[in-house]
Amino acid sequence: MVYLLGVEDLAVTRCGYSPLRETVCSLRLRGRPGGFPEQRGWAASWARDYAGLDTELLDALVTPKGFAPDVLTPRPRGCRPCIQDELPLLAAVPPDRLPAGFRTAYACDGSPLPPVLDLLLDDPYALRGRLVSALGEYWTRCLEPAWWPRARTVLEADLAYRGRRLAEWGAAGLFADLDPKVSWADGALRIRGGVRGAPASARREPVAGRGLVLMPTLFADRALCEASSGGAPVVVYPARGRGTMAEGSDTGAAAASAALADLIGVPRARVLGLLDTPTTTTALAQRLGVTPGAVSRHLGALAAAGLLERTRSGRAVLYRRSPLGESLAGGPGRSGLAP
């Protein structure tokens, strides 16, 4: 696939992630035992809760080779949506799009439709309602309590990295290390083998003022592009640092995190857990979903206790863990206490 971007497209190119996409794609863990080894500890931790869900349907949402119908992951509104923003988008998908979406995914996979889908595709309204309910409950019981806080930290770090690349190197830097199969030259973004089921010859698509959405994910091993359907094309790519997800699922780290939260309180432990690298009050507030004032109070208390160090960069004040803070948090990336 080759996207032809003009100046106006680069001006409105943005990065963002999607909790709903991560929810759907996390189901790949069920059918690919050897895939995403950094996520295996997490999947084991929620296995009992998963068994009590609508597993017949959930297990059918991703094909044996890992394909998921695009209709399950409508394009999010904004860069950092919450699941409560995205499930209504899925609930609003026209029901007549669901049968075609699932049949296309399973045809690309070369596998027959599971019996539950074979039955439900005849009643797409019932299928849509059951999809929203099953995915919502899966999120609430399995992903939201512990996995998503850690995952969101990794995705936020990727967005911050992309922002720095763009600021320092422009479009060439932004696209340079998305994936080895992605290249940028002379206004053209090429994704080799990025469209499933596409012919070997690259298709060229003018973006024509629509812009581009770059979306990191924890459940892909290469960059992929989605059908744009008239909107901004989406390029999904493997998130940087996704291997660190294995650290957050470690039993010993979880126990240490709980002890730290008992010692200084959950909110301050979460703040401390996000300070592997120098970070501003505003950036912390965005990642925690709270006000800068609330973060500032926690930072003040942690600094007074000797757990943080402060440095100035221009007008910004950057915070990071002190050696004492590192020892309490268990070292970089080991706290597991992101929001």
Side-chain angles (χ1 to χ4, degrees):
M1 185 68 189
V2 179
Y3 289 120
L4 306 177
L5 289 90
V7 174
E8 66 277 14
D9 297 307
L10 293 174
V12 292
T13 290
R14 60 185 177 86
C15 300
Y17 54 75
S18 164
L20 178 58
R21 170 181 293 282
E22 298 306 292
T23 299
V24 171
C25 292
S26 70
L27 295 168
R28 290 172 176 161
L29 291 168
R30 300 279 297 173
R32 299 175 63 185
F36 315 109
E38 70 279 2
Q39 303 283 356
R40 285 290 132 196
W42 291 105
S45 72
W46 67 59
R48 182 175 298 178
D49 287 325
Y50 186 86
L53 303 177
D54 187 354
T55 57
E56 183 184 27
L57 179 60
L58 289 171
D59 286 346
L61 300 188
V62 175
T63 72
K65 293 180 181 177
F67 297 149
D70 291 342
V71 71
L72 295 182
T73 54
R75 186 167 301 139
R77 297 170 182 168
C79 295
R80 296 176 175 86
C82 61
I83 197 75
Q84 290 78 15
D85 297 325
E86 295 196 283
L87 285 175
L89 296 180
L90 179 57
V93 167
D96 58 4
R97 290 183 54 200
L98 293 172
F102 278 104
R103 290 192 173 105
T104 297
Y106 274 89
C108 289
D109 188 274
S111 300
L113 282 169
V116 64
L117 288 180
D118 206 20
L119 178 65
L120 283 172
L121 291 185
D122 290 333
D123 188 354
Y125 283 93
L127 172 58
R128 185 178 65 178
R130 190 166 161 184
L131 279 171
V132 173
S133 177
L135 287 169
E137 192 171 5
Y138 171 47
W139 166 268
T140 300
R141 295 185 58 180
C142 297
L143 304 183
E144 184 180 28
W147 180 87
W148 177 240
R150 177 66 179 174
R152 184 170 60 182
T153 299
V154 174
L155 296 171
E156 285 284 357
D158 186 282
L159 298 193
Y161 175 81
R162 291 290 146 213
R164 291 195 301 271
R165 294 285 295 181
L166 179 62
E168 294 173 4
W169 301 99
L174 176 65
F175 299 129
D177 59 352
L178 279 179
D179 186 79
K181 293 184 177 294
V182 176
S183 59
W184 165 258
D186 301 323
L189 185 68
R190 181 183 299 270
I191 300 100
R192 298 190 302 279
V195 182
R196 65 171 180 247
S201 59
R203 192 181 59 163
R204 300 173 70 85
E205 180 179 333
V207 177
R210 293 174 292 161
L212 195 69
V213 179
L214 303 177
M215 190 172 293
T217 179
L218 299 173
F219 297 101
D221 50 19
R222 62 189 176 95
L224 298 166
C225 45
E226 293 186 347
S228 54
S229 304
V234 176
V235 177
V236 180
Y237 63 93
R240 286 174 58 85
R242 61 193 182 281
T244 63
M245 287 297 296
E247 298 171 354
S249 65
D250 181 79
T251 303
S257 297
L260 179 60
D262 287 342
L263 179 66
I264 64 175
V266 171
R268 289 173 185 171
R270 285 177 171 174
V271 170
L272 193 65
L274 288 173
L275 292 172
D276 290 342
T277 57
T279 309
T280 65
T281 301
T282 300
L284 284 169
Q286 290 174 344
R287 293 170 71 176
L288 288 161
V290 298
T291 66
V295 172
S296 182
R297 288 192 294 274
H298 293 315
L299 290 171
L302 291 169
L307 303 182
L308 301 183
E309 295 175 346
R310 287 181 278 204
T311 57
R312 183 170 289 277
S313 176
R315 295 183 179 180
V317 176
L318 300 175
Y319 295 84
R320 71 173 302 162
R321 292 195 293 263
S322 67
L324 176 59
E326 289 285 3
S327 66
L328 283 178
R334 300 299 297 179
S335 69
L337 278 164

